[in-house]
Coordinates of all heavy atoms in Angstrom, one line a residue:
S1 N -24.9 -13.5 -6.4 CA -25.4 -12.1 -5.9 C -25.6 -12.0 -4.4 O -25.7 -10.9 -3.9 CB -26.7 -11.8 -6.7 OG -27.8 -12.7 -6.3
L2 N -25.9 -13.2 -3.8 CA -26.0 -13.2 -2.3 C -24.7 -13.5 -1.6 O -24.7 -13.9 -0.4 CB -27.2 -14.1 -2.0 CG -28.5 -13.9 -2.6 CD1 -29.4 -14.9 -2.3 CD2 -29.1 -12.4 -2.2
G3 N -23.7 -13.8 -2.3 CA -22.5 -14.2 -1.7 C -22.4 -15.8 -1.3 O -21.8 -16.2 -0.4
Q4 N -23.2 -16.6 -2.0 CA -23.4 -17.9 -1.7 C -23.1 -18.8 -3.0 O -22.9 -18.2 -4.0 CB -24.8 -18.3 -1.3 CG -25.4 -17.5 -0.1 CD -26.8 -17.7 0.3 OE1 -27.3 -18.8 -0.1 NE2 -27.5 -16.7 0.8
G5 N -22.9 -20.0 -2.7 CA -22.5 -21.0 -3.7 C -22.6 -22.4 -3.3 O -22.6 -22.7 -2.2
L6 N -22.7 -23.3 -4.4 CA -22.9 -24.8 -4.1 C -21.5 -25.2 -3.7 O -20.5 -25.0 -4.5 CB -23.5 -25.4 -5.2 CG -25.0 -25.5 -5.2 CD1 -25.5 -26.3 -6.5 CD2 -25.6 -26.3 -4.0
Q7 N -21.3 -26.0 -2.7 CA -20.1 -26.7 -2.3 C -20.4 -28.2 -2.0 O -21.0 -28.4 -1.0 CB -19.3 -26.1 -1.3 CG -17.9 -26.4 -1.1 CD -17.0 -25.9 -2.2 OE1 -17.0 -24.8 -2.5 NE2 -16.3 -26.8 -2.8
F8 N -20.0 -29.1 -2.9 CA -20.4 -30.5 -2.8 C -21.9 -30.7 -2.6 O -22.3 -31.5 -1.8 CB -19.6 -31.2 -1.6 CG -18.1 -31.1 -1.7 CD1 -17.4 -30.2 -1.2 CD2 -17.5 -32.0 -2.6 CE1 -16.0 -30.1 -1.3 CE2 -16.2 -32.0 -2.7 CZ -15.4 -31.0 -2.1
G9 N -22.7 -29.9 -3.3 CA -24.2 -30.0 -3.2 C -24.8 -29.3 -2.1 O -26.0 -29.3 -2.0
V10 N -24.0 -28.6 -1.3 CA -24.6 -27.8 -0.3 C -24.5 -26.4 -0.4 O -23.4 -25.8 -0.8 CB -23.6 -28.2 1.1 CG1 -24.3 -27.4 2.3 CG2 -23.8 -29.6 1.4
M11 N -25.6 -25.6 -0.4 CA -25.6 -24.2 -0.6 C -25.1 -23.5 0.6 O -25.7 -23.6 1.7 CB -27.0 -23.7 -0.9 CG -27.1 -22.2 -1.3 SD -26.2 -21.7 -2.8 CE -27.2 -22.6 -4.1
T12 N -24.0 -22.9 0.5 CA -23.4 -22.2 1.7 C -22.8 -20.9 1.3 O -22.8 -20.5 0.2 CB -22.3 -23.2 2.3 OG1 -21.8 -22.6 3.5 CG2 -21.2 -23.4 1.3
L13 N -22.2 -20.2 2.3 CA -21.5 -19.0 2.0 C -20.2 -19.2 1.2 O -19.6 -20.2 1.4 CB -21.0 -18.2 3.3 CG -22.2 -17.7 4.1 CD1 -21.7 -17.1 5.5 CD2 -23.0 -16.6 3.5
Q14 N -20.0 -18.3 0.2 CA -18.9 -18.5 -0.7 C -17.6 -18.1 -0.1 O -17.0 -17.2 -0.3 CB -19.1 -17.6 -2.0 CG -18.3 -17.9 -3.1 CD -18.9 -19.0 -4.0 OE1 -19.7 -19.8 -3.5 NE2 -18.5 -19.1 -5.2
M15 N -17.1 -19.1 0.9 CA -15.8 -18.9 1.5 C -14.7 -19.4 0.7 O -13.5 -19.2 1.0 CB -15.9 -19.5 2.9 CG -16.8 -18.9 3.9 SD -16.8 -19.6 5.5 CE -17.3 -21.2 5.3
S16 N -15.0 -20.2 -0.2 CA -13.9 -20.8 -1.2 C -12.8 -21.5 -0.3 O -13.2 -22.1 0.7 CB -13.3 -19.7 -2.0 OG -12.5 -20.3 -2.9
V17 N -11.6 -21.3 -0.7 CA -10.4 -21.9 0.0 C -10.3 -21.5 1.5 O -9.8 -22.2 2.4 CB -9.2 -21.7 -0.8 CG1 -8.0 -22.1 0.1 CG2 -9.2 -22.5 -2.1
F18 N -10.7 -20.3 1.8 CA -10.7 -19.9 3.2 C -11.4 -20.7 4.1 O -11.0 -21.0 5.3 CB -11.2 -18.4 3.4 CG -10.1 -17.3 3.3 CD1 -8.7 -17.7 3.1 CD2 -10.4 -16.0 3.3 CE1 -7.7 -16.9 2.9 CE2 -9.4 -15.1 3.2 CZ -8.1 -15.4 3.0
G19 N -12.6 -21.3 3.7 CA -13.3 -22.2 4.5 C -12.6 -23.4 4.8 O -12.6 -23.9 5.9
G20 N -11.8 -23.9 3.7 CA -11.0 -25.1 3.9 C -9.8 -24.9 4.8 O -9.5 -25.6 5.7
V21 N -9.2 -23.7 4.7 CA -8.0 -23.4 5.6 C -8.6 -23.3 7.0 O -7.8 -23.8 7.9 CB -7.5 -22.0 5.1 CG1 -6.4 -21.5 6.1 CG2 -6.8 -22.1 3.7
L22 N -9.6 -22.6 7.2 CA -10.2 -22.5 8.6 C -10.5 -23.9 9.2 O -10.1 -24.1 10.3 CB -11.4 -21.7 8.6 CG -12.2 -21.5 9.8 CD1 -11.3 -20.7 10.8 CD2 -13.6 -20.8 9.7
A23 N -11.0 -24.8 8.5 CA -11.4 -26.1 8.9 C -10.1 -26.9 9.2 O -10.0 -27.5 10.2 CB -12.2 -26.9 7.9
G24 N -9.1 -26.7 8.4 CA -7.8 -27.4 8.6 C -7.1 -26.8 9.9 O -6.6 -27.6 10.7
L25 N -7.2 -25.5 10.1 CA -6.6 -25.0 11.3 C -7.2 -25.5 12.6 O -6.6 -25.9 13.5 CB -6.7 -23.4 11.2 CG -5.8 -22.8 10.2 CD1 -6.0 -21.3 10.0 CD2 -4.3 -23.0 10.5
Y26 N -8.6 -25.4 12.7 CA -9.1 -25.7 14.0 C -9.2 -27.3 14.2 O -9.1 -27.8 15.3 CB -10.6 -25.2 14.2 CG -11.6 -25.6 13.2 CD1 -12.1 -26.8 13.2 CD2 -12.3 -24.6 12.5 CE1 -13.2 -27.2 12.3 CE2 -13.3 -24.9 11.6 CZ -13.8 -26.2 11.6 OH -14.8 -26.5 10.8
T27 N -9.2 -28.1 13.0 CA -9.0 -29.5 13.2 C -7.7 -29.9 13.6 O -7.5 -30.7 14.6 CB -9.3 -30.1 11.8 OG1 -10.5 -29.9 11.3 CG2 -9.1 -31.6 11.9
S28 N -6.7 -29.2 13.2 CA -5.3 -29.5 13.7 C -5.1 -29.2 15.2 O -4.5 -29.9 15.9 CB -4.2 -28.8 12.8 OG -4.4 -27.4 13.0
W29 N -5.8 -28.1 15.6 CA -5.7 -27.7 17.0 C -6.4 -28.7 17.9 O -5.9 -29.2 18.9 CB -6.4 -26.3 17.1 CG -6.4 -25.8 18.6 CD1 -5.4 -25.2 19.3 CD2 -7.4 -26.0 19.5 NE1 -5.8 -25.0 20.6 CE2 -7.1 -25.5 20.7 CE3 -8.8 -26.6 19.4 CZ2 -7.9 -25.5 21.9 CZ3 -9.5 -26.5 20.6 CH2 -9.1 -26.0 21.8
V30 N -7.6 -29.1 17.5 CA -8.3 -30.1 18.2 C -7.5 -31.5 18.2 O -7.5 -32.1 19.3 CB -9.7 -30.5 17.6 CG1 -10.3 -31.7 18.1 CG2 -10.6 -29.2 17.6
H31 N -7.0 -31.8 17.1 CA -6.3 -33.1 17.0 C -5.0 -33.1 18.0 O -4.8 -34.0 18.8 CB -5.8 -33.2 15.6 CG -4.9 -34.6 15.5 ND1 -5.4 -35.8 15.3 CD2 -3.6 -34.7 15.5 CE1 -4.5 -36.7 15.2 NE2 -3.3 -36.0 15.2
N32 N -4.2 -32.1 17.9 CA -3.0 -32.0 18.7 C -3.3 -31.8 20.3 O -2.5 -32.2 21.1 CB -2.2 -30.8 18.3 CG -1.4 -31.0 16.9 OD1 -1.3 -32.1 16.5 ND2 -1.2 -29.9 16.2
R33 N -4.5 -31.4 20.5 CA -4.9 -31.2 22.0 C -5.5 -32.5 22.5 O -5.4 -32.8 23.7 CB -5.7 -30.1 22.1 CG -6.1 -29.7 23.5 CD -7.0 -28.4 23.6 NE -7.2 -28.0 24.9 CZ -6.5 -27.2 25.7 NH1 -5.2 -26.9 25.2 NH2 -6.7 -27.0 27.0
F34 N -6.1 -33.2 21.7 CA -7.0 -34.4 22.2 C -6.7 -35.8 21.7 O -7.3 -36.7 22.1 CB -8.6 -34.1 21.9 CG -9.1 -32.8 22.6 CD1 -9.3 -31.7 21.9 CD2 -9.3 -32.9 23.9 CE1 -9.9 -30.6 22.6 CE2 -9.9 -31.8 24.6 CZ -10.0 -30.6 23.9
Y35 N -5.7 -35.9 20.9 CA -5.5 -37.3 20.3 C -5.0 -38.2 21.2 O -5.0 -39.4 21.0 CB -4.6 -37.2 19.0 CG -3.1 -37.0 19.3 CD1 -2.3 -38.1 19.3 CD2 -2.6 -35.8 19.5 CE1 -0.9 -37.9 19.5 CE2 -1.2 -35.6 19.8 CZ -0.4 -36.7 19.8 OH 0.9 -36.6 20.0
K36 N -4.5 -37.8 22.4 CA -4.1 -38.7 23.5 C -5.2 -38.7 24.7 O -4.9 -39.1 25.8 CB -2.8 -38.3 24.1 CG -1.6 -38.5 23.0 CD -0.4 -38.2 23.7 CE 0.9 -38.4 22.7 NZ 2.1 -38.1 23.4
L37 N -6.3 -38.2 24.4 CA -7.4 -38.0 25.5 C -7.7 -39.3 26.2 O -8.0 -40.3 25.5 CB -8.7 -37.5 24.9 CG -9.9 -37.3 25.8 CD1 -9.5 -36.2 26.9 CD2 -11.1 -36.8 25.0
K38 N -7.7 -39.4 27.5 CA -8.1 -40.6 28.2 C -9.4 -40.4 28.8 O -9.7 -39.4 29.5 CB -7.1 -40.8 29.4 CG -5.7 -41.2 28.8 CD -4.7 -41.5 30.0 CE -3.3 -42.0 29.4 NZ -2.4 -42.3 30.5
L39 N -10.3 -41.4 28.7 CA -11.7 -41.3 29.1 C -11.9 -42.3 30.2 O -11.1 -43.3 30.2 CB -12.7 -41.4 28.0 CG -12.7 -40.3 26.9 CD1 -13.7 -40.6 25.8 CD2 -13.1 -38.9 27.6
P40 N -12.9 -42.3 31.0 CA -13.2 -43.3 31.9 C -13.4 -44.7 31.1 O -13.7 -44.7 30.0 CB -14.6 -42.9 32.5 CG -14.6 -41.4 32.4 CD -13.9 -41.2 31.2
E41 N -13.2 -45.8 31.9 CA -13.2 -47.2 31.3 C -14.5 -47.3 30.4 O -14.4 -47.9 29.3 CB -13.1 -48.2 32.5 CG -12.8 -49.6 31.8 CD -11.4 -49.7 31.3 OE1 -10.5 -49.0 31.7 OE2 -11.2 -50.5 30.3
I42 N -15.5 -46.9 30.9 CA -16.8 -47.2 30.2 C -16.9 -46.4 28.8 O -17.6 -46.9 27.9 CB -18.1 -46.9 31.0 CG1 -19.3 -47.5 30.4 CG2 -18.2 -45.3 31.2 CD1 -20.5 -47.2 31.3
L43 N -16.1 -45.4 28.7 CA -16.1 -44.6 27.4 C -14.8 -44.7 26.7 O -14.5 -44.0 25.8 CB -16.4 -43.1 27.7 CG -17.8 -42.8 28.3 CD1 -17.9 -41.4 28.7 CD2 -18.9 -43.2 27.3
A44 N -14.0 -45.7 27.2 CA -12.6 -45.7 26.7 C -12.5 -45.9 25.2 O -11.6 -45.5 24.5 CB -11.8 -46.8 27.3
F45 N -13.5 -46.5 24.6 CA -13.5 -46.8 23.2 C -13.5 -45.4 22.3 O -12.9 -45.4 21.3 CB -14.8 -47.6 22.7 CG -14.9 -47.7 21.2 CD1 -14.3 -48.8 20.5 CD2 -15.7 -47.0 20.4 CE1 -14.4 -48.9 19.2 CE2 -15.9 -47.1 19.1 CZ -15.1 -48.1 18.5
F46 N -14.0 -44.4 22.9 CA -14.2 -43.2 22.3 C -13.0 -42.2 22.6 O -12.9 -41.1 22.3 CB -15.5 -42.4 22.6 CG -16.6 -43.2 22.1 CD1 -17.4 -43.9 23.1 CD2 -17.0 -43.1 20.9 CE1 -18.6 -44.5 22.7 CE2 -18.1 -43.9 20.4 CZ -18.9 -44.6 21.3
G47 N -12.1 -42.7 23.3 CA -10.9 -41.8 23.8 C -9.8 -41.9 22.6 O -9.8 -42.5 21.6

């Protein structure tokens, strides 16, 4: 009645598959942009 629902035990807005599609879209954008990211030597492990 409030437009909410449990998703993996988390009460959140009932976005259903749209929430998953959105997460997939921005994740792919981040991945394609940063998967070759070069960081300074001290932080290279996280690059």
